[in-house]
Every structure is written in C-alpha cells, then in structure tokens.
Amino acid sequence: MKWRVTMPALRIKVTGACNRTCHFCHEEGDMRGIDSVQPDTPFLECVTALRDATGIDRVMFSGGEPTIHPAILDLVACVSAPLMSLTSNGITLHDEDWWRRARTAGLSKVIFSVHDATVQSFQALESTPRAAGWALRGLNAQQANIINADKAGISVRANVVVYDGADNALRVIKMLRALPVALEIRLLNDLSNVVQTKREIDAVCAVLEATHVGTERRAGTSNVSTQMRGSDGFMFSVKLSYPYFFDAVCGSCTMKSECLEGFYGLRLERRGGEYTVRLCIYKQTADLLMPWREFLQTDLAARMRDLYRSELEKT
C-alpha cells in the first residue's frame, strides 16, 4: 500500500449562488452572504499574497456554482498557478470550445458533482421541487460536460456522494464508466449522515470486490482519499471525513466533538466588497473569518507554511 502527502489548495469561492438545491449541501458557512469575486487587481493582489505567504501552489475555484459566474474564465486567467481546478455540478451545458478556452486560461482539472443516474433520483435530491424535464436536461448536461471537458484536454473527476444507498451509487458508477472518457471517480460520504453512508460505501466496495492500493492526504488538512482497485481492474477513490484539527485554528474550539469536517484548509470569499479568509465552515467569529490583510498580520500563514513543509518532507 502506498501513502503520499500533497500540497493543499487555496479554495476560492467565486460566488454564493447555485443553480441546484441539493438537500445535503451544508453551504460551507452562510454562502448567501458571499459576493461574487471579480477579476480585478485587488483579487489578483489578494490571491498572490496568500499563495506567497502560505506556499500553496494549487488553486480551486468553487461556489456555489462557479460556472454560472459570468466572468469565471477571466477569473481563471487572472490567476497564475501550476495547478488550477474547478468544482461544478455540471448542469449548465458548455460546449467543447468553452472548455478549450478554460484550458487555455489555465484550468488543468474539473471536478463534477454527479450523484444520480435517473431522473427520479436527480429530482429527489433537490430541496426545491423540480420538473422531470429539468432533471433530464441536467443529467444530459452533466454527461456532455464530462465528455466536452475531456475532449478539451482537461483532466476530469466525478465526485459521487453516496447519500442514497449503495444501489444508487452503483448505478451512477455504471453510467460514468459507460462514457467514452477515462475519468477518475471518487466516492464521498454524506457529512449529514457519516456513519450510515460509510456503511453504504463499504457495500459498494464489496460489490466491486475492491482492494485498497494507496492513500493520499492533503498536507495540514482533513482531506484524505484512498485509492481502490476493483476485481476487474477498475480504479476509483474514496474520501471519508477525517478528524484532523490544526491546533493554530482548532486548538481551543469547543465544537470538536460535533465537527464533521475538521480543518479543511484555506478558503477565500468576498464579503461586503472585501476579500475575506475563512478558516472554518461553521463559525463566523472574527478569528476565523477575517479580511485577508488582517489574516497576513497574524502568524497563521507562516504556521501553515511550516506545517505543509514538514508534512511533505516526511514522505
């Protein structure tokens, strides 16, 4: 079994708006209060300063739903990082040319959230009632976007939250494997039902007769995934919640026993017109949600950089 540690990403929440209402979404800390990020000099200055201070070489664009941001390609082009990825639910259709422009802008990877394979389950995931036609268009768009992004030369992963049992997850895996794309598939547990969904993921692995071949962890975060191989050679990964707490941020927290995520890393969002660093998805206190310049005046960035360096050197 192989174990490796990699550098975490600076997660940039470009918008709080989303075109889905998935019932298990925890919205990562009051997303309704997030302003849209703009591809301007203050944004570039902020991202550059944070990356320089922490040593982070990865950037992930997220939301809400980042692809509905009208300037998302400009935002990608505005940032210069060796590894840039984007998370998307994939239900807004973009053609191959759009994804090629994303690649030209610097996007190297896209992670699609694909949790269902049927119209009925796609509808049932929504907390707001949706018509069957809307669900069918969403399902078709997800598959077309996966194919178009792959054709554009972008690395593709599908994240599948196992929220509705092993059978539903297996249907999704079958659907994804039928696509003419060599994409990565990752199973995730539902943070609102950790114990049960862990059992369902184990059931999926049992059906696939999967064995554990490696583990990857983002340095200084709770982001851990295991690589699995099915009996037919099918490779996939599993990400489960991992109780990792960064003492500089979580040391005196009274919510540790209730925390479902632990310390996941550095998030950037825009609030009240100001770029803000978020260190916790649950709390809104001034020590965990602060203007980026104020964050850099603390010792947290240096402590993160030292932590990342020490964990990477161990591997």
Side-chain angles (χ1 to χ4, degrees):
M1 183 187 74
K2 297 180 180 180
W3 174 280
R4 69 174 186 148
V5 178
T6 58
M7 184 63 83
L10 169 63
R11 299 167 68 88
I12 304 174
K13 302 181 73 61
V14 301
T15 177
C18 189
N19 50 3
R20 293 206 70 176
T21 58
C22 303
H23 61 71
F24 59 67
C25 179
H26 53 75
E27 296 191 346
E28 295 195 349
D30 185 30
M31 287 202 302
R32 293 175 181 83
I34 296 176
D35 303 327
S36 291
V37 169
Q38 299 302 315
D40 52 21
T41 300
F43 169 67
L44 180 57
E45 179 186 4
C46 169
V47 173
T48 302
L50 289 174
R51 290 184 55 228
D52 287 347
T54 60
I56 291 175
D57 61 359
R58 309 168 69 105
V59 170
M60 175 179 283
F61 297 92
S62 66
E65 171 50 43
T67 65
I68 65 175
H69 191 302
I72 182 60
L73 297 187
D74 294 328
L75 287 168
V76 175
C78 188
V79 175
S80 178
L83 294 168
M84 289 196 287
S85 61
L86 178 146
T87 62
S88 173
N89 59 40
I91 72 168
T92 297
L93 180 59
H94 294 290
D95 61 17
E96 184 180 339
D97 177 67
W98 190 92
W99 288 108
R100 286 194 183 279
R101 286 187 284 127
R103 183 189 176 196
T104 299
L107 190 70
S108 52
K109 186 172 188 175
V110 58
I111 300 100
F112 291 108
S113 300
V114 183
H115 313 308
D116 300 285
T118 68
V119 166
Q120 293 75 20
S121 59
F122 198 95
Q123 286 177 289
L125 181 57
E126 300 293 312
S127 57
T128 300
R130 302 281 195 172
W134 174 88
L136 180 60
R137 288 191 296 274
L139 280 169
N140 289 338
Q142 285 181 331
Q143 296 179 50
N145 275 320
I146 288 172
I147 293 169
N148 291 339
D150 177 74
K151 285 182 177 178
I154 297 174
S155 176
V156 179
R157 186 175 85 213
N159 278 356
V160 182
V161 174
V162 185
Y163 77 98
D164 191 30
D167 289 343
N168 182 65
L170 288 164
R171 282 192 293 270
V172 177
I173 291 171
K174 182 178 179 180
M175 176 190 73
L176 292 170
R177 293 187 70 185
L179 297 176
V181 175
L183 80 163
E184 178 188 356
I185 298 175
R186 176 168 294 176
L187 305 180
L188 295 85
N189 59 343
D190 178 357
L191 286 178
S192 65
N193 193 5
V194 172
V195 175
Q196 179 60 35
T197 53
K198 170 63 166 61
R199 294 196 190 102
E200 300 298 339
I201 289 173
D202 287 344
V204 171
C205 292
V207 170
L208 298 174
E209 298 181 329
T211 54
H212 182 187
V213 296
T215 301
E216 178 180 288
R217 175 167 174 259
R218 296 281 189 251
T221 76
S222 57
N223 187 340
V224 176
S225 63
T226 57
Q227 284 70 53
M228 309 292 290
R229 180 187 291 113
S231 59
D232 64 352
F234 166 52
M235 298 293 296
F236 64 102
S237 59
V238 173
K239 179 181 175 296
L240 301 174
S241 56
Y242 175 75
Y244 177 89
F245 298 102
F246 179 34
D247 284 344
V249 173
C250 314
S252 60
C253 182
T254 59
M255 290 182 59
K256 283 185 180 179
S257 61
E258 307 165 48
C259 184
L260 299 174
E261 183 167 276
F263 183 69
Y264 202 78
L266 200 62
R267 289 170 168 88
L268 178 67
E269 53 196 51
R270 189 166 178 254
R271 290 178 175 270
E274 185 166 25
Y275 291 105
T276 304
V277 167
R278 174 179 289 279
L279 300 171
C280 175
I281 68 168
Y282 298 105
K283 292 183 175 182
Q284 310 278 49
T285 54
D287 59 327
L288 299 172
L289 184 65
M290 68 188 83
W292 70 273
R293 286 187 176 86
E294 186 177 315
F295 168 77
L296 291 181
Q297 290 173 359
T298 71
D299 68 347
L300 289 171
R303 293 179 70 173
M304 287 181 185
R305 187 184 188 103
D306 290 344
L307 176 65
Y308 302 154
R309 183 183 294 117
S310 67
E311 294 195 355
L312 289 166
E313 288 174 351
K314 291 177 183 176
T315 60

